[in-house]
């Protein structure tokens, strides 16, 4: 099974039968895409693999039990990504013990402490991506990876990276996502007017930001699983107690989508 997102945002799904150890997909692409290949209704638990496909003949070699080790040739984008991944694999080896601890420890407080110790690791991984963006400014791989850095890059840097992609890559699915992120970040930057919203509060009553017009409003985005968020709550309560009589209001927006009761 092969699936990818078309330039119009629709998910495309294709299939090919394996015969004598061979299979083939034929079709037309308007531009590069990130695709996912996985086994069909085999009943076996076999891992999938991700591939950067281009409008060109390509060849794929894989072991049925090792999809993630698949080798794609004929795609320059896949070659670019493989180089980046090799660099990041070397970084990951340096922090293997801490990463294994993060995966196995279930205590939220301990998890937060491990994450703090892993800050150099996250920074090194980000720097590897940034170097790639600089080396391949107009690459589809850059557009695909840039989406994951919308929160850690300054807005002007993100905008510059987006413009450097060029018109063709900007029209791809990840290019459009970055444009949307830039728009949202610009609207949420200092000096911008906050967009109105309406949501149910903790008592099930409808609450709108516009209800608080004329007051000083702080929007606090948090979650019950976020240790730093919870550690900051006592401080926020102190500030609220000190300034509520002067028109300060807090609206806490909890990101517990799967556990509304939390």
């Amino acid at each position: 099974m092969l699936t990818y997102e078309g330039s119009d945002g629709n998910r495309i799904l294709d299939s090919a039968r394996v015969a004598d150890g061979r299979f083939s997909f034929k079709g037309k692409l308007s531009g590069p895409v990130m695709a996912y290949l996985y086994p069909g209704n085999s009943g076996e638990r076999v891992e999938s693999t991700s591939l950067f496909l281009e409008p060109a003949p390509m060849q794929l070699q894989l072991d049925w039990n090792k999809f993630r080790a698949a080798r794609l040739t004929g795609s320059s984008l896949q070659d670019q990504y493989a180089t980046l991944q090799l660099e990041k694999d070397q970084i990951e080896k340096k922090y293997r013990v801490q990463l294994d601890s993060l995966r196995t420890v279930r205590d939220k407080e301990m998890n937060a402490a491990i994450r703090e110790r892993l800050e150099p690791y996250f920074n090194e991984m980000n720097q590897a991506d940034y170097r790639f963006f600089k080396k391949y400014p107009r690459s589809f791989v850059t557009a695909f990876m840039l989406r994951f850095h919308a929160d850690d890059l300054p807005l002007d840097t993100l905008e510059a990276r987006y413009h450097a992609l060029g018109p063709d890559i900007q029209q791809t699915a990840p290019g459009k996502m970055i444009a949307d992120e830039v728009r949202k970040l610009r609207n949420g930057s200092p000096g911008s007017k906050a967009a109105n919203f309406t949501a149910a509060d903790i008592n099930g009553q409808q609450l709108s930001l516009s209800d608080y017009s004329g007051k000083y409003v702080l929007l606090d985005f948090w979650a019950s699983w976020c240790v730093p968020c919870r550690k900051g709550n006592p401080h926020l309560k102190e500030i609220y107690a000190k300034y509520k009589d002067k028109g300060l209001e807090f609206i806490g927006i909890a990101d517990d989508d799967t556990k509304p009761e939390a």
Side-chain angles (χ1 to χ4, degrees):
M1 306 296 292
L2 181 73
T3 181
Y4 58 89
E5 186 175 346
S7 58
D8 57 359
N10 292 324
R11 177 61 57 179
I12 296 172
L13 179 65
D14 199 358
S15 64
R17 185 177 298 278
V18 180
D20 298 326
R22 294 178 179 273
F23 63 92
S24 65
F25 289 95
K26 293 182 180 180
K28 292 186 177 181
L29 294 175
S30 59
V33 296
M34 162 60 90
Y36 299 92
L37 185 76
Y38 59 94
N41 299 323
S42 65
E44 300 178 44
R45 293 189 63 184
V46 185
E47 59 191 16
S48 63
T49 189
S50 56
L51 309 163
F52 283 98
L53 304 184
E54 300 181 63
M58 291 165 285
Q59 285 192 331
L60 181 72
Q61 289 184 322
L62 61 85
D63 186 302
W64 183 257
N65 297 310
K66 298 179 181 178
F67 261 50
R68 290 184 184 175
R71 292 198 312 110
L72 180 70
T73 56
S75 169
S76 59
L77 295 176
Q78 188 71 17
D79 293 340
Q80 291 175 10
Y81 183 70
T83 302
L84 173 62
Q85 196 57 50
L86 182 62
E87 180 181 358
K88 296 172 87 168
D89 287 344
Q90 297 303 313
I91 297 172
E92 187 170 317
K93 285 181 181 179
K94 293 165 52 178
Y95 298 90
R96 178 69 66 191
V97 175
Q98 291 99 317
L99 286 168
D100 289 343
S101 298
L102 189 61
R103 294 187 183 102
T104 56
V105 173
R106 292 290 176 262
D107 183 272
K108 292 180 180 178
E109 299 287 346
M110 291 180 63
N111 229 306
I114 294 172
R115 281 188 174 277
E116 286 184 13
R117 293 203 303 270
L118 280 170
E119 194 61 36
Y121 162 75
F122 296 127
N123 184 57
E124 282 192 52
M125 293 295 252
N126 285 344
Q127 292 302 319
D129 285 346
Y130 299 159
R131 288 191 293 271
F132 183 90
F133 300 159
K134 186 175 182 179
K135 186 176 181 180
Y136 300 103
R138 300 175 71 89
S139 171
F140 177 82
V141 181
T142 291
F144 183 84
M145 298 295 296
L146 192 58
R147 300 173 306 153
F148 305 112
H149 292 278
D151 291 337
D152 54 61
L153 285 173
L155 177 57
D156 57 348
T157 302
L158 182 64
E159 285 186 298
R161 290 291 177 213
Y162 170 73
H163 291 307
L165 292 173
D168 290 341
I169 301 300
Q170 287 173 0
Q171 291 306 308
T172 62
K176 292 176 180 178
M177 290 181 188
I178 297 167
D180 189 51
E181 286 294 329
V182 168
R183 178 187 59 79
K184 289 189 290 187
L185 287 169
R186 189 185 296 119
N187 289 341
S189 296
S192 301
K193 183 177 181 179
N196 188 38
F197 64 86
T198 301
D201 68 12
I202 196 169
N203 298 312
Q205 303 298 313
Q206 291 297 299
L207 176 151
S208 296
L209 179 59
S210 57
D211 296 339
Y212 296 83
S213 180
K215 294 181 177 291
Y216 299 102
V217 181
L218 183 143
L219 303 180
D220 178 32
F221 296 89
W222 71 289
S224 65
W225 47 260
C226 175
V227 176
C229 301
R230 294 187 353 245
K231 286 184 176 179
N233 284 343
H235 177 59
L236 294 181
K237 291 176 70 175
E238 291 176 3
I239 295 176
Y240 180 70
K242 185 175 181 179
Y243 294 107
K244 63 179 181 179
D245 293 337
K246 295 185 178 180
L248 177 65
E249 289 289 352
F250 284 4
I251 300 177
I253 303 169
D255 182 23
D256 282 285
D257 297 333
T258 59
K259 292 184 178 180
E261 70 279 4

